[in-house]
Amino acid sequence: FSKDSCYLPPLRYPATCTFKGSLESEKQKYIIHGGKTPNNELSDKIYVMSVVCKNNKKVTFRCTEKDLVGDVPEARYGHSIDMVYSRGKSMGVVFGGRSYIPSAQRTTEKWNSVADCLPHIFLVDLEFGCSTSYILPELQDGLSFHVSIARNDTIYILGGHSLANNIRPANLYRIRVDLPLGSPAVNCTVLPGGISVSSAILTQTNSDEFVIVGGYQLENQKRMVCNIISLEGNKIEIREMETPDWTPDIKHSKL
């Protein structure tokens, strides 16, 4: 890290995404939000990392902390942050996750008890440092450890785990963000063909294709199938891919 960087604690379960800026100096930026600190506290901070120097031996990053005003997302983990791009503008989108129960409800026995965050959508303007929350009727449950895929002005939310009823519903939501000169417009559409999954790994294989590996489909049941997700226009297609030849330690372990 560069000498003018802020301290970045080793966070667990933060939400991360990449940011494609319009300027040459903004080509590689990374947004980090939330997560658990080494003291097992939850963070509500948002960090922006950028590459300031790159050579054959090392990469130097600059990390800055971004202060937010407005509807600031509460400290959380297991959520998602994505960048959307519309009409030449960009905005961060925060959704889901878990947070500690309110301090008034915490006892010695339940001090570290967590609950689902409210199913609000937060739009975060990283340029001006302001945040606005939106309540969408289609989003009824707070979800954590879901899969999110962002493309242009659209985000797809798949699966997730709801603590309230301990299920992993086969969700598939399409959230579209329009950024005109005035107030942003956010709408959500419930799509068929979702999958039941939480804590999976998402990898982008090309501009229109992603792969989902691992995760859970039930509390004690790992997800051994893999999926290919294809995006074309306003359509999303999810299909199973050939299952890898898992090693015995993966097949028989509980994690």
Side-chain angles (χ1 to χ4, degrees):
F1 286 92
S2 62
K3 292 182 179 180
D4 58 347
S5 290
C6 70
Y7 172 67
L8 177 64
L11 300 166
R12 288 183 296 150
Y13 312 123
T16 62
C17 71
T18 57
F19 172 48
K20 302 173 184 176
S22 57
L23 303 177
E24 186 70 21
S25 60
E26 296 181 340
K27 265 193 170 181
Q28 296 186 65
K29 282 193 174 183
Y30 307 91
I31 314 300
I32 304 170
H33 179 266
K36 283 189 174 184
T37 69
N39 295 328
N40 210 33
E41 297 173 344
L42 297 185
S43 170
D44 63 352
K45 297 184 182 300
I46 188 165
Y47 299 95
V48 180
M49 278 209 314
S50 57
V51 177
V52 293
C53 180
K54 192 173 185 179
N55 55 40
N56 293 332
K57 293 185 177 180
K58 66 178 182 178
V59 177
T60 302
F61 289 98
R62 177 181 292 118
C63 182
T64 57
E65 184 181 326
K66 195 74 177 179
D67 293 323
L68 297 180
V69 296
D71 304 325
V72 180
E74 66 179 312
R76 61 187 66 200
Y77 71 100
H79 56 301
S80 62
I81 183 169
D82 296 280
M83 294 299 301
V84 291
Y85 305 87
S86 170
R87 304 175 188 255
K89 301 178 183 178
S90 61
M91 199 78 74
V93 181
V94 175
F95 173 70
R98 294 175 184 168
S99 182
Y100 287 130
I101 61 175
S103 57
Q105 302 175 21
R106 299 171 80 177
T107 62
T108 303
E109 294 79 13
K110 297 183 177 180
W111 194 254
N112 290 328
S113 295
V114 294
D116 297 319
C117 292
L118 294 174
H120 295 173
I121 295 289
F122 293 88
L123 292 192
V124 179
D125 189 323
L126 292 173
E127 181 180 358
F128 298 102
C130 55
S131 175
T132 308
S133 67
Y134 294 81
I135 301 175
L136 305 178
E138 295 83 3
L139 299 172
Q140 293 293 318
D141 296 311
L143 297 167
S144 56
F145 297 104
H146 52 272
V147 174
S148 66
I149 300 175
R151 188 183 187 219
N152 299 328
D153 63 351
T154 303
I155 295 173
Y156 294 95
I157 303 292
L158 293 88
H161 181 213
S162 173
L163 274 176
N165 43 30
N166 196 26
I167 61 171
R168 290 163 174 79
N171 293 321
L172 179 52
Y173 300 109
R174 181 176 63 209
I175 299 170
R176 183 162 287 136
V177 180
D178 188 19
L179 301 175
L181 287 176
S183 300
V186 184
N187 65 74
C188 177
T189 304
V190 181
L191 301 177
I195 55 177
S196 178
V197 62
S198 68
S199 304
I201 296 172
L202 177 74
T203 301
Q204 186 168 2
T205 51
N206 62 48
S207 60
D208 301 318
E209 192 172 272
F210 301 80
V211 173
I212 293 180
V213 179
Y216 295 86
Q217 60 189 45
L218 295 172
E219 182 71 24
N220 295 309
Q221 185 174 347
K222 294 182 300 181
R223 199 168 182 275
M224 307 302 292
V225 299
C226 304
N227 294 91
I228 295 177
I229 300 177
S230 302
L231 302 179
E232 184 178 351
N234 293 327
K235 295 181 180 179
I236 178 172
E237 180 187 4
I238 305 173
R239 62 185 188 276
E240 287 191 16
M241 61 181 290
E242 184 178 350
T243 303
D245 186 14
W246 300 114
T247 59
D249 57 329
I250 293 179
K251 288 181 180 178
H252 303 302
S253 71
K254 292 182 178 181
L255 298 180

